[in-house]
Amino acid sequence: NSPISIQKKGAIFLKEGNDLVLKSSIGFGDEQKLLCGTIPPGRCLCGAALESGKTVYSGAVDDRHHIRPAGMPPHGHYCLPIRSGGTVIGAITLYLDPGHLRDQDEEAFLASVCAIIARIIEGKQLERSLFQMHKMDALNRFAAGIAHDFNNILSAISGYCSVAARQLPPENPCCSDLGDITAAVEKGTALTRQLKLFSRQSAEAMETADLNPLLKASCGTLSRLLGPQIALVFAPAESPLPV
């Protein structure tokens, strides 16, 4: 068989949502990159390949060419779907010399090229997934380390408070301050418990809780996270919300 008379022009699209999005091209001018930036199913030959999941061939510019940049010269097309696990994840379009006849061997070769592209995309997706897993593992270790160190600090504060409380008479005004410190330590201990749960360093304890006070206690932290440009309004339920 004679070699494929492919022009030095073509593009690779990947599916995002329901549409094809242009990811790489050669021989495309700025106008064509803009016009072909996003292609919905069924639009032009690439959209037809996406919609049908089959190779679309054209020996010349015809009615299926919905996108026509100014000064577009005569040409043909092979538009092939890129598949992963039986699902179309993109498309490749190649420009042919006008009048080039359709050939099954050519299509089989180009389908193998699409399969290679699909394997590369799958490898990149797996690489990103592994990277995210490593990041989460590192974050878990970091949270566990903070929880451990913070818990040690809280234990020291709690111990000194206990010693001071035993040495002061009950009527001493400092006893109230020590009570406030102890309450703050208890809140900090609850926070370290949440960090340990996040980092999977401790088993989750199941218990019935009322959502109202839990949400109210979270408002202070949320307000700091949201910043001054956003107002946080808390509207608790009139009755307890046990979960």
Side-chain angles (χ1 to χ4, degrees):
N1 292 338
S2 59
I4 308 175
S5 53
I6 296 177
Q7 298 180 6
K8 194 174 182 180
K9 187 173 182 179
I12 295 176
F13 299 84
L14 293 182
K15 188 178 178 183
E16 293 185 4
N18 295 322
D19 302 331
L20 291 176
V21 176
L22 179 65
K23 294 297 181 180
S24 180
S25 66
I26 184 171
F28 278 31
D30 292 338
E31 181 187 9
Q32 188 165 8
K33 289 179 182 178
L34 181 63
L35 293 173
C36 297
T38 301
I39 299 178
R43 180 167 175 78
C44 216
L45 277 71
C46 296
L50 169 64
E51 188 174 57
S52 66
K54 299 178 181 178
T55 299
V56 176
Y57 163 80
S58 173
V61 177
D62 54 31
D63 292 340
R64 294 174 296 171
H65 286 76
H66 303 130
I67 301 173
R68 301 192 183 194
M72 184 176 67
H75 64 274
H77 267 296
Y78 275 127
C79 291
L80 299 96
I82 301 173
R83 293 179 172 275
S84 175
T87 302
V88 177
I89 61 171
I92 182 172
T93 181
L94 299 172
Y95 282 64
L96 306 173
D97 290 341
H100 179 85
L101 299 178
R102 188 170 190 171
D103 185 276
Q104 291 185 347
D105 292 335
E106 292 176 352
E107 289 189 39
F109 169 73
L110 294 175
S112 66
V113 172
C114 288
I116 293 172
I117 294 173
R119 299 297 85 77
I120 294 172
I121 294 170
E122 291 168 353
K124 289 296 182 182
Q125 290 174 340
L126 178 60
E127 185 180 294
R128 285 194 293 270
S129 297
L130 290 173
F131 179 67
Q132 291 296 329
M133 289 173 61
H134 286 309
K135 282 206 306 184
M136 283 303 300
D137 183 57
L139 184 58
N140 287 338
R141 292 197 302 270
F142 179 66
I146 288 179
H148 178 75
D149 293 340
F150 192 38
N151 212 43
N152 288 339
I153 295 172
L154 292 174
S155 296
I157 296 173
S158 179
Y160 282 118
C161 280
S162 298
V163 171
R166 287 196 299 268
Q167 294 178 351
L168 291 174
E171 65 274 9
N172 192 299
C174 290
C175 289
S176 176
D177 295 334
L178 291 174
D180 291 339
I181 295 174
T182 301
V185 168
E186 291 175 353
K187 289 182 179 180
T189 302
L191 177 60
T192 60
R193 191 179 302 116
Q194 292 177 17
L195 282 172
K196 287 182 178 180
L197 286 173
F198 173 78
S199 61
R200 300 180 179 89
Q201 296 296 311
S202 66
E204 185 176 3
M206 304 297 290
E207 61 181 14
T208 302
D210 181 9
L211 282 182
N212 279 336
L214 291 176
L215 292 173
K216 183 178 180 181
S218 301
C219 285
T221 302
L222 287 174
S223 295
R224 290 190 293 273
L225 290 174
L226 293 173
Q229 71 277 14
I230 299 177
L232 176 64
V233 178
F234 175 57
E238 296 180 357
S239 58
L241 297 173
V243 293

